[in-house]
Amino acid sequence: MRMMTDDQELARAAAAGDGAAFASLLDRHYDRLFALCFRLTGARSEAEDLTQDICLALPAKLAGFSGRAKVTTWLYRVAVNAAHDRRRKRARYAKATEGWGDWETRRTADNAEAAAQIDWLHRAMTALPDALRDTLALTLDDVTHAEAAEILGVSEGTISWRISEAKKALRALRETEDRI
């Protein structure tokens, strides 16, 4: 019986909630719809996804089918619009993520450079005399000069002098390493 029914009647019945009419309509046009989606996307997997998306949206879209155009014409319009929507969505996503890879690459490089500098500092500090190393270790942990002086039992002036001496020693070590 459904084979004798024309597309217009099937579309109206499907829009009214007739599942068998909807299944018949899809059965008649699925292959052509898929072929169009393949031509619109150029890739089988994309065409499969697009066709499935269209099939899922069709029950709601059929409510807007007026019957002024052939069902195939209307269905193709739905497919073209869906393909355009998908392309726009991808373009927005690409634009939104543009530069993200560059930013991430720079961030990773900056983190690696900072980690290398910290590693160098930790290794270089082992070459310092104990008093300079202890003072520098405290002040690198955001301990004030006054607090470091109290902890080490020396004056604040001594802390400042030790930091200055530690910086000189580290700078000399770096220059020696750079020449090698």
Side-chain angles (χ1 to χ4, degrees):
M1 167 81 184
R2 292 274 181 216
M3 292 307 245
M4 305 297 260
T5 309
D6 72 3
D7 287 346
Q8 303 287 54
E9 288 178 44
L10 285 176
R12 279 193 280 284
D18 184 340
F22 181 73
S24 291
L25 198 58
L26 272 185
D27 190 44
R28 283 185 188 179
H29 298 290
Y30 186 86
D31 290 340
R32 281 189 283 184
L33 179 61
F34 175 78
L36 174 63
C37 289
F38 184 77
R39 289 189 301 274
L40 291 169
T41 62
R44 182 176 186 81
S45 62
E46 281 292 310
E48 289 169 349
D49 289 346
L50 182 59
T51 305
Q52 288 300 314
D53 290 348
I54 292 166
C55 289
L56 289 173
L58 271 182
K61 290 192 177 295
L62 276 168
F65 176 67
S66 65
R68 287 180 286 170
K70 289 177 24 181
V71 170
T72 52
T73 303
W74 175 83
L75 188 56
Y76 285 174
R77 182 86 232 127
V78 168
V80 168
N81 287 342
H84 286 177
D85 289 346
R86 186 175 279 243
R87 284 187 211 119
R88 280 192 295 270
K89 183 178 178 183
R90 285 222 170 111
R92 279 193 310 271
Y93 177 79
K95 186 175 182 180
T97 59
E98 185 177 310
W100 178 259
D102 296 338
W103 176 84
E104 180 62 17
T105 301
R106 280 192 305 277
R107 186 188 70 77
T108 302
D110 291 347
N111 287 347
E113 183 178 333
Q117 290 173 350
I118 290 170
D119 287 345
W120 178 86
L121 179 61
H122 287 147
R123 283 192 316 275
M125 283 175 62
T126 61
L128 296 174
D130 291 343
L132 296 182
R133 183 175 52 237
D134 294 348
T135 303
L136 195 55
L138 286 170
T139 57
L140 287 174
D141 278 341
D142 294 328
V143 172
T144 65
H145 286 209
E147 292 168 333
E150 186 179 331
I151 292 167
L152 296 174
V154 296
S155 71
E156 281 186 59
T158 300
I159 296 296
S160 296
W161 176 83
R162 286 179 179 177
I163 291 172
S164 175
E165 290 299 306
K167 286 180 179 179
K168 286 180 198 174
L170 292 173
R171 198 173 306 117
L173 182 60
R174 175 64 91 181
E175 288 172 1
T176 302
E177 287 178 2
D178 287 347
R179 277 184 261 148
I180 297 176

